[in-house]
């Protein structure tokens, strides 16, 4: 048992008394934040230099989600926003305090104004990975949330980041702690890569069968000249083969500290990216039973689509998610399929480039885009015959189940790492 006098109380929690205290500015090159290319007169590109938006700093660390591209000319012009492999990235608006490391194999890139860059240069006393893990503790996230400024647009200032205190043991101890924790992150990353490969494989099958029409037996299949589809297939509005609706209104007064999970677009977007729901909301069991008995609630293989803000994130509900309820207007609920469509089939359509391409044409609003029930109901989709749907589901269902298993494993690994992290940092567990 570590004696109490061996710890010192800090705004970021208890720290070992014999660890040296530094500010990030003492260990780093000039700490800066990014900018937006359009303010410099540059446009986005389909390829080029990597440009990171706020979504790239996720609950799981660095994420390719949200990556955009700019020209080399724009990259060079935005000197203050340049990053390189190994830089620590801190979210300073929105999900304040999220931490990521730009991968070492990345050569160059840029960040937007919602991300700050910390580049550790005092390598003789500070291990970059150790500092990343120390900043990634919940205590630091809570500390940042407690010092953000700005009522209308809360954010961390660069001054606050520069003055952030970190506590360093001997360099060898730092490296050992970082090695232990990075082993968990490596496993999490490997699982995430496997999930992405499985998701891409499912998309490839969907495209080959239902876009390119190269499904099993296509060579001997008769085509309807009027529709251009195999005989027995059709183009139908989504509303004719499934139910599209939202939820009943849940008011702020209905929120409780514990109960049935209540998801908004933010939480569903996190689940789409296989992140944990970091700050869940709840409604009471009584309120959920009332809604469920009168109006129904999402079940396994139903689909939810984000409809405001970040539009078009689509999530296939898992059995482990149930029960939960969701916010009206923020999410669209698709369920009650007929015999020629299924959740496994529809989720591939909603995650396909075809659906992404038509989103802009069916959303409304100038400043705040929204996806409406009416627009989604009128979506034209290819409806295969029952035999082909069954063949497709027989292949995709095991793939989706494997993704679910890998996602659960990631959750357990992250939970184990998050339990271990503060214990290593405050020396409850000695290294």
């Amino acid at each position: 048992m570590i004696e109490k006098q061996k710890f010192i109380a800090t705004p970021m929690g208890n720290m070992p008394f014999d660890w040296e205290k530094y500010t990030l500015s003492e260990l780093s090159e000039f700490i800066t934040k990014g900018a937006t290319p359009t303010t410099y007169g540059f446009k986005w590109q389909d390829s080029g230099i990597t440009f990171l938006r706020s979504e790239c700093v996720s609950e799981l660390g660095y994420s390719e989600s949200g990556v955009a591209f700019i020209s080399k000319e724009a990259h060079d012009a935005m000197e203050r926003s340049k990053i390189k492999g190994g830089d620590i990235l801190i979210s300073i608006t929105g999900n304040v305090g999220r931490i990521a490391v730009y991968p070492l194999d990345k050569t160059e890139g840029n960040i937007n104004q919602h991300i700050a860059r910390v580049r550790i240069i005092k390598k003789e006393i500070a291990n970059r990975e150790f500092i990343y893990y120390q900043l990634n503790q919940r205590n630091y996230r809570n500390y940042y949330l407690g010092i953000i400024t700005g009522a209308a647009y809360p954010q961390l200032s660069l001054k606050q980041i520069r003055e952030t205190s970190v506590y360093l043991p001997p360099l060898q101890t730092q490296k050992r702690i970082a090695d232990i924790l990075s082993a968990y992150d490596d496993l999490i990353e490997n699982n995430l890569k496997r999930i992405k490969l499985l998701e891409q494989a499912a998309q490839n099958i969907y495209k080959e069968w239902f876009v390119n029409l190269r499904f099993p037996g296509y060579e001997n299949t008769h085509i309807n000249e009027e529709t251009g589809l195999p005989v027995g297939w059709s183009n139908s509005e989504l509303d004719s083969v499934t139910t599209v609706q939202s939820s009943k209104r849940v008011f702020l007064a209905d929120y409780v500290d514990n109960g049935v999970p209540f998801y908004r677009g933010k939480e569903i977007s996190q689940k789409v990216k296989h992140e944990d729901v970091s700050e869940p909301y709840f409604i009471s069991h009584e309120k959920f039973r009332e809604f469920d008995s009168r109006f129904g609630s999402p079940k396994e293989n139903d689909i939810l689509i984000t409809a405001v803000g970040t539009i078009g994130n689509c999530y296939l509900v898992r059995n482990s998610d149930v029960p939960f309820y969701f916010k009206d207007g923020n999410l669209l609920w698709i369920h009650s399929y007929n015999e020629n469509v299924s959740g496994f089939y529809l989720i591939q359509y909603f995650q396909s480039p075809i659906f992404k391409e038509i989103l802009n044409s069916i959303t409304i609003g100038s400043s705040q885009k929204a996806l409406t029930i009416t627009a989604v109901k009128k979506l034209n989709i290819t409806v295969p015959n029952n035999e082909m749907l069954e063949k497709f589901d027989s292949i995709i269902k095991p793939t989706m189940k494997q993704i679910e298993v890998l996602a659960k494993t990631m959750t357990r690994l992250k939970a184990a790492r998050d339990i271990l992290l503060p214990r290593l940092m405050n020396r409850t567990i000695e290294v």
Side-chain angles (χ1 to χ4, degrees), residues 180-195:
I180 292 170
L181 294 170
S182 65
Y184 284 87
D185 277 343
D186 289 344
L187 288 170
I188 292 169
E189 179 64 22
N190 286 338
N191 277 328
L192 190 57
K193 287 179 178 178
R194 291 173 66 190
I195 286 173

Side-chain angles (χ1 to χ4, degrees), residues 31 182 233 236:
I31 296 172
S182 65
W233 294 28
S236 302

